[in-house]
Amino acid sequence: MTEIKVELTRRAALLGAGGALAGASLAGTSAVQAAAEKQGALPAPVARYSVGGFEVTTLHDGAVSLQEPQKTFAMNVDADTFSATNAENFLPDDSFQISFTPTLVNTGGELVLFDTGNGEGARPARGNMRAALGSAGYTPEQVDVVVLTHMHPDHIGGLLEGGAPAFPNARYVTGQKEYDFWAAMDPEANGVTKLLASNVTPLAEKMTFLDDGGSVTGGITAMAANGHTPGHMIYMIEDGGKQLALTADTANHYVWSLAHPTWEVRFDMDKEAAAATRKTVFGMLAADKVPFVGYHMPFPAVGYVETAGDGFRYVPASYQLQL
């Protein structure tokens, strides 16, 4: 057997017994051991919180990395201002990542899913909400209510699976204004109307249509938050004196949309209204110290905001909702 010679450096010698044990281990080795086996894909990520007696689970549908962020965010800001903000927040100028996070609320009486992710056509990077649902311990058949905050493809893409309803036992809830706006268009007008025709319209007979202040079920209330789309809705979860807001796409980035609510976002259909909604919604949450789930916040997508200058500072939740 060939002896492996180990020469201790001064630094290794200072480690004392630890260095000696390492040397002994190496001296008794005749060949380099094989690396540990690869473990393959991890289960789809989920995170779980409590809101009073309600159990809230955020489900990671996936994420996508893109180039040239100013083609999507901060469209009305000069490049130098954008770059300075990025430097302050350790963000690159030339790329960004966006996450997609549906939310599941177990009220004890009903299992309520908010938005359905990108769907099977976006896999493997996105469209993994069903896998996350399994990681959370549920099956699609157990979902009692599916709530659609608005009709963009990354929210309605998961309504079907293999051409059939993905949640066969569910009833559906969405905003009246949102549905009417898109349903009035030619189904071939754009990508949203095409997906609406295939994924949403066939389920319309099972839908309840809400206006501002409408109730999904006990403890879950709709709030109008127009701008991103004409009928974009957010939802307040309340139980046992605790609250959590589901803000959907009111803010689409944790820095660019919150610290600077007037910075324009390409996907906001009415940019002025969207900015006003951001100020109103997050001003309320900051004043009342209410946590929120943002559909495009970094996973697990739960945090707080505090006022900072003309905007807000995002504070990711840690253990507050687990106490």
Side-chain angles (χ1 to χ4, degrees):
M1 180 175 67
T2 303
E3 183 180 20
I4 298 176
K5 183 178 180 181
V6 178
E7 294 184 0
L8 293 178
T9 63
R10 181 174 183 274
R11 179 178 179 276
L14 290 174
L15 295 177
L21 286 172
S25 176
L26 287 170
T29 303
S30 60
V32 177
Q33 294 182 356
E37 292 183 4
K38 293 181 179 179
Q39 299 301 306
L42 290 167
V46 302
R48 185 160 284 155
Y49 309 90
S50 294
V51 179
F54 290 178
E55 189 175 77
V56 178
T57 307
T58 51
L59 310 170
H60 196 224
D61 187 66
V64 60
S65 296
L66 300 169
Q67 305 300 309
E68 299 180 289
Q70 273 203 280
K71 287 187 176 181
T72 301
F73 293 97
M75 298 174 66
N76 57 332
V77 177
D78 65 86
D80 288 343
T81 299
F82 184 66
S83 183
T85 297
N86 292 338
E88 292 170 359
N89 292 278
F90 306 95
L91 295 171
D93 289 339
D94 58 353
S95 61
F96 68 102
Q97 186 178 87
I98 189 165
S99 291
F100 307 87
T101 309
T103 298
L104 193 66
V105 179
N106 190 335
T107 69
E110 289 185 297
L111 191 61
V112 185
L113 175 66
F114 289 84
D115 294 322
T116 65
N118 290 271
E120 59 190 335
R123 292 174 190 150
R126 291 164 285 163
N128 300 307
M129 186 275 299
R130 285 172 69 89
L133 187 69
S135 296
Y138 296 106
T139 66
E141 291 76 17
Q142 290 178 291
V143 175
D144 299 296
V145 188
V146 174
V147 181
L148 303 174
T149 60
H150 62 293
M151 299 297 167
H152 278 171
D154 54 321
H155 296 257
I156 65 173
L159 280 168
L160 299 184
E161 185 74 20
F167 308 98
N169 300 316
R171 62 184 177 90
Y172 302 86
V173 176
T174 196
Q176 183 75 65
K177 183 177 180 180
E178 179 75 0
Y179 180 81
D180 290 349
F181 175 81
W182 297 106
M185 292 186 184
D186 182 335
E188 296 297 316
N190 53 60
V192 177
T193 57
K194 289 179 181 179
L195 198 59
L196 184 90
S198 64
N199 285 24
V200 181
T201 303
L203 303 171
E205 63 182 19
K206 295 183 178 181
M207 283 188 174
T208 300
F209 297 97
L210 299 181
D211 294 313
D212 184 33
S215 176
V216 174
T217 190
I220 304 179
T221 305
M223 299 172 61
N226 302 336
H228 182 65
T229 61
H232 181 263
M233 297 279 250
I234 64 176
Y235 291 85
M236 185 64 75
I237 313 299
E238 300 182 73
D239 189 67
K242 303 294 185 179
Q243 292 181 308
L244 174 74
L246 306 183
T247 62
D249 283 17
T250 305
N252 286 333
H253 192 275
Y254 74 104
V255 173
W256 302 325
S257 295
L258 288 175
H260 304 282
T262 61
W263 284 12
E264 293 181 356
V265 181
R266 178 163 61 97
F267 297 114
D268 287 343
M269 295 179 67
D270 184 333
K271 292 173 175 49
E272 184 175 346
T277 293
R278 280 191 283 275
K279 292 179 179 180
T280 298
V281 168
F282 292 106
M284 174 191 70
L285 298 182
D288 296 340
K289 294 181 170 54
V290 175
F292 76 99
V293 176
Y295 192 77
H296 295 298
M297 295 297 107
F299 192 79
V302 183
Y304 298 81
V305 287
E306 64 176 4
T307 55
D310 294 331
F312 308 94
R313 184 175 78 91
Y314 180 60
V315 182
S318 55
Y319 53 75
Q320 297 96 324
L321 300 181
Q322 298 170 350
L323 297 176

